[in-house]
Amino acid sequence: MYKHNAVVRGFLPILSYSLSSFFLLGYIFYMEAAKFPTWISVILIGVPFIGRMVTPFVYSRLTFAIGVERSMILSLINMSLISVIDTFILNYSFLVATRFILGVLFGISTSASIELASLTEDKKIVGLTMAGWAFGWIISVILFESFGSYMFIPGLVTLSLLLLRTERYSVSKVGKISFSWKAFSVFFLGFVPAYVMQLVPSMLGSGAFLETIVGYSLSIFAYLFLPMVKRLTLAITVVALIIVSTAVLGFSTLNLALLSIFTMFGLGLNSLLPIISRMINVEPWKIGPSMNLASFGGLLFPEIISITGDEKLSSTVVVLVTTIAFLLLVFKLQRTSIKTANRTLVSVR
């Protein structure tokens, strides 16, 4: 089993999710340096989310054909090449097409990362893998400050992964769609605090940079330690309460400390979502693709909030409603899984 190689292979899903997030998020900084028109910036930020939704339809076939690790590595390498090419070609139609492809590759690489992290059965690896989103953001800031519009050129170091000897590992079933409604629902609702964070910079103005650095840095500790809590249900409940309370108080006062805590636990909640999916008996190879299909909420929720005209109030209401729905969903799915397991045990006896 893959878990027997956790010490040797555990770094791969963490590295993969971090680099994938850098190639996806870093383009936001690049567009700022290149001074793209607002309309094309919105399209180029949004189109990878659409590409991610293709993941459930291609993931099982690809990983069955060449293996999970090799699918992950080849996706990363192609993402690095596309990012460098996009640095020098400013044809908008071309950029829309390549950003869509990058979204598909992001979905494959992160799905493979989640599958491999889940199979190690090491909660620290699962947490740090999901922390790749925060690592990717931090890498983007550092490379943008260091290289400006050429920030993606150092990403070509990813080509060195071709030298890595991969394991021919796959549990995916060819011909099957890699999808679970249970995992989709968990990620769709659990990701909402992270989606709402996209609107925080516009609310804070000059204070956005400090809140981003503090909040994302603190979230790494949440990503690492929250999965280690033994009483998972209690951890989910406490985190949800912190998210709701800091959202209500933070958005009403725009207090940097409160919004940093909201960012910390809103992102930290993500580390629990793959663990919850396994708890409710979702197969590892379905978790990542379901997560990526749920990513369309990253376009949906900010857009809903923006059109209301009152971002602070709408953000609070959305976080409150979806977090309560998330808690109720998790408790229901957990009870259903326990009942199913008990019935199976009885029938075996």
Side-chain angles (χ1 to χ4, degrees), residues 174-194:
V174 68
K176 299 288 185 179
I177 295 178
S178 307
F179 178 75
S180 163
W181 276 109
K182 293 189 291 185
F184 170 84
S185 302
V186 167
F187 281 101
F188 182 73
L189 293 174
F191 273 161
V192 171

Side-chain angles (χ1 to χ4, degrees), residues 9 33 78 80 130 165 188 222 225 233 285 299 304 323 337:
R9 319 301 292 188
N78 282 293
S80 69
M130 293 301 292
R165 182 178 178 181
F188 182 73
F225 292 111
T233 303
W285 62 280
L299 294 175
I304 291 174
T323 302
S337 296

Side-chain angles (χ1 to χ4, degrees), residues 257-280:
L258 290 171
L259 289 175
S260 295
I261 295 173
F262 171 74
T263 298
M264 173 184 179
F265 284 95
L267 289 174
L269 177 64
N270 297 349
S271 67
L272 299 176
L273 303 182
I275 298 173
I276 293 170
S277 298
R278 292 295 292 135
M279 178 184 69
I280 57 179

Side-chain angles (χ1 to χ4, degrees), residues 111 114-115 118 178 180 183-184 187 273-275 277-278 282-292:
S111 294
I114 295 302
E115 179 174 347
S118 298
S178 307
S180 163
F184 170 84
F187 281 101
L273 303 182
I275 298 173
S277 298
R278 292 295 292 135
V282 177
E283 297 93 332
W285 62 280
K286 292 183 179 180
I287 296 176
S290 301
M291 173 189 72
N292 279 290

Side-chain angles (χ1 to χ4, degrees), residues 125-139:
I125 291 177
V126 174
L128 288 173
T129 298
M130 293 301 292
W133 185 264
F135 288 136
W137 185 270
I138 293 171
I139 294 170

Side-chain angles (χ1 to χ4, degrees), residues 98-151:
T98 54
R99 289 289 288 170
F100 175 85
I101 295 171
L102 189 138
V104 176
L105 296 171
F106 178 90
I108 293 170
S109 60
T110 54
S111 294
S113 301
I114 295 302
E115 179 174 347
L116 296 179
S118 298
L119 286 166
T120 65
E121 298 184 2
D122 187 325
K123 291 183 178 180
K124 294 191 295 297
I125 291 177
V126 174
L128 288 173
T129 298
M130 293 301 292
W133 185 264
F135 288 136
W137 185 270
I138 293 171
I139 294 170
S140 299
V141 171
I142 293 173
L143 291 184
F144 176 70
E145 291 296 326
S146 302
F147 297 95
S149 60
Y150 298 104
M151 61 183 293

Side-chain angles (χ1 to χ4, degrees), residues 176-325:
K176 299 288 185 179
I177 295 178
S178 307
F179 178 75
S180 163
W181 276 109
K182 293 189 291 185
F184 170 84
S185 302
V186 167
F187 281 101
F188 182 73
L189 293 174
F191 273 161
V192 171
Y195 298 149
V196 174
M197 288 170 205
Q198 299 178 63
L199 302 173
V200 171
S202 65
M203 299 181 195
L204 291 179
S206 60
F209 180 78
L210 178 60
E211 189 278 332
T212 298
I213 295 299
V214 173
Y216 275 78
S217 298
L218 289 175
S219 73
I220 294 175
F221 294 97
Y223 275 116
L224 179 59
F225 292 111
L226 285 178
M228 303 304 296
V229 178
K230 293 183 178 180
R231 300 179 63 182
L232 182 59
T233 303
L234 177 61
I236 296 168
T237 304
V238 171
V239 170
L241 290 175
I242 293 174
I243 289 172
V244 168
S245 59
T246 53
V248 171
L249 297 174
F251 286 121
S252 61
T253 63
L254 294 184
N255 181 278
L256 287 177
L258 290 171
L259 289 175
S260 295
I261 295 173
F262 171 74
T263 298
M264 173 184 179
F265 284 95
L267 289 174
L269 177 64
N270 297 349
S271 67
L272 299 176
L273 303 182
I275 298 173
I276 293 170
S277 298
R278 292 295 292 135
M279 178 184 69
I280 57 179
N281 300 320
V282 177
E283 297 93 332
W285 62 280
K286 292 183 179 180
I287 296 176
S290 301
M291 173 189 72
N292 279 290
L293 185 60
S295 70
F296 81 90
L299 294 175
L300 176 65
F301 287 105
E303 187 65 25
I304 291 174
I305 292 171
S306 297
I307 64 177
T308 61
D310 190 337
E311 289 188 349
K312 292 191 291 184
L313 177 60
S314 298
S315 296
T316 302
V317 172
V318 166
V319 171
L320 179 63
V321 172
T322 56
T323 302
I324 292 174

